Amino acid sequence: MGLNARQRTETVPHVDFREATPLAMGKSWHSATPAPQARMISEFRSMLVRIYSNAIDTHRGQIMLLMPVRMAAGVEGLIRRLVEKNA
């Protein structure tokens, strides 16, 4: 399975793009009609998959551990990671 496909199956299900997209667009979201909003959600999802896939690909051959996230619902959080480089 390619990295992009893996991101779609492992990362995308954990992101609420209907909530994240309006936050990214700000005031522009409210002036868009439902059809452009739906397209923006789709494009935002594709963009984030590409960005995360490229970022993770820079660590190819290394071990990346995602540390546990401790935060309340609706609160901004930080995802910590540990990368073990090959010797």
Side-chain angles (χ1 to χ4, degrees):
M1 177 183 310
L3 188 58
N4 223 341
R6 191 169 178 188
Q7 284 299 312
R8 289 186 193 284
T9 60
E10 294 182 14
T11 304
V12 169
H14 300 285
V15 178
D16 183 350
F17 288 99
R18 291 191 182 276
E19 183 177 335
T21 307
L23 292 173
M25 287 189 65
K27 294 178 183 177
S28 300
W29 178 259
H30 299 292
S31 63
T33 60
Q37 286 178 346
R39 183 159 183 229
M40 187 62 200
I41 291 169
S42 176
E43 294 297 328
F44 189 61
R45 179 184 304 113
S46 296
M47 180 190 71
L48 286 183
V49 167
R50 278 193 314 275
I51 289 171
Y52 286 135
S53 294
N54 290 336
I56 290 171
D57 195 41
T58 63
H59 298 289
R60 186 179 298 263
Q62 300 171 0
I63 297 171
M64 183 183 299
L65 303 170
L66 296 178
M67 310 309 281
V69 176
R70 295 182 193 106
M71 59 186 236
V75 176
E76 204 171 288
L78 177 67
I79 298 175
R80 297 175 303 146
R81 63 178 165 71
L82 173 67
V83 177
E84 297 178 6
K85 298 183 178 184
N86 293 335

